[in-house]
Amino acid sequence: AQSVSQHNHHVILSEAASLELGCNYSYGGTVNLFWYVQYPGQHLQLLLKYFSGDPLVKGIKGFEAEFIKSKFSFNLRKPSVQWSDTAEYFCATTPPRGSYIPTFGRGTSLIVHP
Amino acid sequence: SQTIHQWPATLVQPVGSPLSLECTVEGTSNPNLYWYRQAAGRGLQLLFYSVGIGQISSEVPQNLSASRPQDRQFILSSKKLLLSDSGFYLCAQGQGVGNSPLHFGNGTRLTVT
């Protein structure tokens, strides 16, 4: 069975600081990887995804993530955060075949102080 | 584009009362549908998923059940709520393809008193 680990549960940053949120997955084969974001009072939405090709994926609002197969990682990064990035971030993975049921990490709560 | 309607947005119910949360999807056909429960610091727990009308798979045995009476309708139910059923319930839909993301509804905050 798949599992997804997000090691940073709570992150507090000041505006303009750089951000990196860790995500590790357990599935040994080809995977599809996602980052979702949930802004306060809003629904979960896709931030970016990777399923093949360039391992550096760019998403909305200046976010990017790098797939490193050897490390089973898909860390989320942003060079300079803004107050509006305050949200909860979830890493998720689905296998390439079968039921395609996503497995989610526990989430990381990011607070950005202005 | 897909739209997911969930209602009610908030609900307060006494212990032992029944529950019915409804989710309907627009803008897509034959979607995979999911019910998740989100708890603070615990991420998203998959409760049920459905690949078609009348087809329900349960991921976690508990006091809840799900039904899919129509292609784009997914219902989460309970005959008798427990205090531990309190939480934030999310409905989601996907295309059943591994690289396709899920689309989520706005959720229902359930408080069992």
Side-chain angles (χ1 to χ4, degrees):
Chain A
Q2 305 169 87
S3 68
V4 176
S5 298
Q6 289 181 245
H7 306 294
N8 318 102
H9 297 152
H10 300 280
V11 175
I12 301 174
L13 295 172
S14 298
E15 276 195 318
S18 64
L19 171 72
E20 181 160 3
L21 302 182
C23 172
N24 289 93
Y25 61 94
S26 66
Y27 190 70
T30 305
V31 293
N32 303 294
L33 294 157
F34 306 84
W35 275 99
Y36 291 86
V37 61
Q38 186 176 34
Y39 297 105
Q42 296 187 28
H43 62 276
L44 268 159
Q45 57 187 287
L46 181 70
L47 198 55
L48 47 79
K49 67 177 182 178
Y50 169 81
F51 58 92
S52 67
D54 189 343
L56 185 61
V57 179
K58 295 194 183 297
I60 61 173
K61 303 187 179 184
F63 285 91
E64 64 179 30
E66 185 174 13
F67 168 59
I68 303 179
K69 188 175 181 179
S70 61
K71 296 184 177 180
F72 296 87
S73 70
F74 190 56
N75 292 355
L76 181 70
R77 300 195 294 247
K78 186 170 183 178
S80 177
V81 294
Q82 300 173 314
W83 173 78
S84 58
D85 294 324
T86 294
E88 191 145 10
Y89 294 81
F90 293 91
C91 183
T93 180
T94 59
R97 60 188 62 83
S99 63
Y100 305 119
I101 298 172
T103 300
F104 285 83
R106 291 175 59 180
T108 297
S109 173
L110 171 66
I111 297 175
V112 180
H113 289 302
Chain B
S1 63
Q2 303 98 334
T3 304
I4 301 174
H5 300 282
Q6 265 191 262
W7 66 93
T10 59
L11 188 61
V12 180
Q13 292 280 101
V15 168
S17 64
L19 172 74
S20 180
L21 301 181
E22 190 157 344
C23 171
T24 59
V25 180
E26 294 179 0
T28 185
S29 59
N30 196 30
N32 285 3
L33 297 175
Y34 307 82
W35 278 112
Y36 284 90
R37 180 163 54 201
Q38 183 179 3
R42 298 182 64 183
L44 277 70
Q45 179 187 33
L46 179 64
L47 303 176
F48 302 95
Y49 72 93
S50 170
V51 299
I53 297 174
Q55 302 179 62
I56 307 295
S57 295
S58 173
E59 291 295 300
V60 183
Q62 54 197 310
N63 187 41
L64 302 169
S65 62
S67 62
R68 186 169 177 176
Q70 300 180 43
D71 180 46
R72 287 174 281 183
Q73 185 183 27
F74 203 26
I75 298 171
L76 183 68
S77 304
S78 174
K79 292 182 179 178
K80 288 186 178 181
L81 283 168
L82 306 172
L83 285 174
S84 58
D85 291 324
S86 293
F88 190 56
Y89 290 85
L90 290 167
C91 178
Q93 72 91 10
Q95 290 306 303
V97 178
N99 60 16
S100 177
L102 294 187
H103 298 270
F104 289 86
N106 286 334
T108 296
R109 173 74 60 190
L110 171 66
T111 303
V112 182
T113 60

